[in-house]
Amino acid sequence: MGYELRVVRESPLAFAELAKAIAPAGFELRGSDEITAAHGGGTHVVARWRGQLVGEPGSDWQVAQLLRLSSALGARLVGEDGEVYALRDGVIEVVTGDDAMEIGKFAEIIDAGPAAWTP
């Protein structure tokens, strides 16, 4: 299991609400638990439903898609260590306490697609 990012809302997210909200945002529900996004003629898993939305990104594209999904649901994207992923002026950043680190430009990351991170 990799590093998890969670979609967190003030009010709990019900599965029925999730299913209704994802299609207009460009996501699909595959099976009973996978949320997917399309790119390059294929679909890629972005998150899984485990009573809440949880993603284990392997690329910046997946982080960007999780951030987009969070926004569509009126939620925040939070990492295991409490860091918050946010979009500011078209740039994805990770905020930990008073520190912010840029990941990259949202539009460029989405266009690049789900190329896996390399060690």
Side-chain angles (χ1 to χ4, degrees), residues 16-75:
E17 184 181 0
L18 166 71
K20 187 192 298 187
I22 62 171
F27 295 96
E28 293 182 5
L29 180 61
R30 182 167 61 192
S32 62
D33 69 338
E34 291 183 334
I35 309 303
T36 64
H39 188 274
T43 57
H44 307 273
V45 175
V46 173
R48 288 188 167 72
W49 177 256
R50 297 182 186 151
Q52 67 179 9
L53 281 174
V54 177
E56 294 179 28
S59 69
D60 287 344
W61 182 85
Q62 288 173 307
V63 172
Q65 292 292 354
L66 280 165
L67 189 55
R68 194 168 69 85
L69 180 59
S70 298
S71 177
L73 297 169

Side-chain angles (χ1 to χ4, degrees), residues 34-117:
E34 291 183 334
I35 309 303
T36 64
H39 188 274
T43 57
H44 307 273
V45 175
V46 173
R48 288 188 167 72
W49 177 256
R50 297 182 186 151
Q52 67 179 9
L53 281 174
V54 177
E56 294 179 28
S59 69
D60 287 344
W61 182 85
Q62 288 173 307
V63 172
Q65 292 292 354
L66 280 165
L67 189 55
R68 194 168 69 85
L69 180 59
S70 298
S71 177
L73 297 169
R76 295 178 301 131
L77 185 59
V78 180
E80 288 180 9
D81 297 325
E83 73 279 13
V84 176
Y85 292 73
L87 185 62
R88 185 171 57 95
D89 298 328
V91 176
I92 300 173
E93 57 185 23
V94 181
V95 180
T96 306
D98 293 334
D99 297 324
M101 181 184 79
E102 290 185 359
I103 292 178
K105 293 181 180 179
F106 180 84
E108 291 176 3
I109 291 170
I110 291 294
D111 289 345
W117 290 317

